[in-house]
Structures are given as structure tokens and as C-alpha cells.
Amino acid sequence: MRKYKFAELSVGMKESFEREITPEMEQAFRTISGDDNPLHRDDDFARETGRFPEHAVFGMLTASFYSTMAGMYLPGKHSLIHSFDEISFLKPVFSGDRLTITGEVTGIEEGLSMIRLKVTIKNQDGKTVSRAKMKVLVLA
């Protein structure tokens, strides 16, 4: 866990981490969210849509890594997510995909002790599957 304080952050700073999507993660998300849509569990159903070769991972499971970026990396320990200005799901994610999550500080608001982050999530093929712009308060 990073422990950046507000004074240590600057525009252009970047942090990255990787996660592999596992069936266990999908099941845990299904249990927590209560979302049992067949698109997220049934390969045959997903194929019948004509859009997917297998079931698609929950978009919000992928989006949970935005919280990881703020809470563990930028700024880490001293973070409190304020808001999202944008969040987009651009390509489907599948079980077994290896995702790289990269956050960059794009702005600093001194009076609020807030940073603006641009975060992208790319799959193992380097394709952007999701992106977001978020505001994070820095509590120290």
C-alpha cells in the first residue's frame, strides 16, 4: 500500500498494478451483488447473443479496480474517493484475462486536498477495456 500525502503528489505521477480475473472472483462478486444474469455465468447464453465467445465478466467487478487504484496506489492509505466524472466499459472482459490498471494524476486541487485521476484498464492484448476519470480526496 502506498502512503502518499497530498504534498507528495504531482501531476503526471503514475502507478500500475495487475490482476487476473478468476472464476472465484466472479462467484464472489455474484454472491455480493446478487446479479445472476446469465450473460455473466452461462457461456451458451453469451454465445447466443452473437456478441461474446463466452460469458462476460461483470463490468462492475472490473470497475472495482478503480477503488483499488485509489485505496492502494494513488494516493493509497490516505484516500477517500469523492466522485467519478466518467466511467466507460469499452470491451468485454473474460475469465482468465490479465488486466493492467494504470492511474495517472491529471490535476491537483489544493484548496480541497483533492487529486484528479485518469485510470485505464487494459487486457493482456493491450486493448483498453475500461477507463475512468475520478476525483480522490487526500486525507493527509
Side-chain angles (χ1 to χ4, degrees):
M1 175 186 298
R2 306 288 190 261
K3 299 176 184 176
Y4 292 115
K5 294 184 179 177
F6 186 73
E8 299 171 321
L9 296 161
S10 60
V11 172
M13 287 181 74
K14 289 185 179 181
E15 291 280 352
S16 292
F17 66 95
E18 292 184 356
R19 290 288 185 277
E20 182 174 341
I21 301 296
T22 66
E24 294 79 15
M25 292 167 78
E26 293 179 276
Q27 183 56 48
F29 190 87
R30 181 176 294 108
T31 299
I32 290 166
S33 70
D35 184 347
D36 197 33
N37 186 297
L39 181 62
H40 300 302
R41 64 171 164 71
D42 184 330
D43 290 341
D44 290 333
F45 178 85
R47 278 191 285 276
E48 287 171 11
T49 69
R51 294 179 176 243
F52 306 103
E54 60 185 278
H55 74 275
V57 170
F58 300 93
M60 294 310 289
L61 170 57
T62 303
S64 72
F65 299 128
Y66 296 125
S67 178
T68 306
M69 175 54 69
M72 299 298 290
Y73 295 92
L74 272 177
K77 180 180 179 178
H78 305 292
S79 72
L80 177 63
I81 294 174
H82 177 274
S83 59
F84 285 84
D85 291 336
E86 172 189 317
I87 187 167
S88 300
F89 302 98
L90 306 169
K91 295 199 177 300
V93 172
F94 301 104
S95 191
D97 279 359
R98 183 116 187 120
L99 305 177
T100 301
I101 301 89
T102 303
E104 178 180 359
V105 178
T106 60
I108 294 181
E109 296 185 32
E110 301 257 346
L112 299 172
S113 294
M114 184 184 322
I115 60 173
R116 292 179 181 268
L117 294 178
K118 177 178 79 173
V119 185
T120 58
I121 301 177
K122 294 185 178 188
N123 66 16
Q124 64 278 353
D125 298 322
K127 297 187 187 229
T128 301
V129 298
S130 184
R131 65 177 173 232
K133 292 180 182 175
M134 55 193 296
K135 295 176 187 168
V136 181
L137 296 170
V138 184
L139 304 176

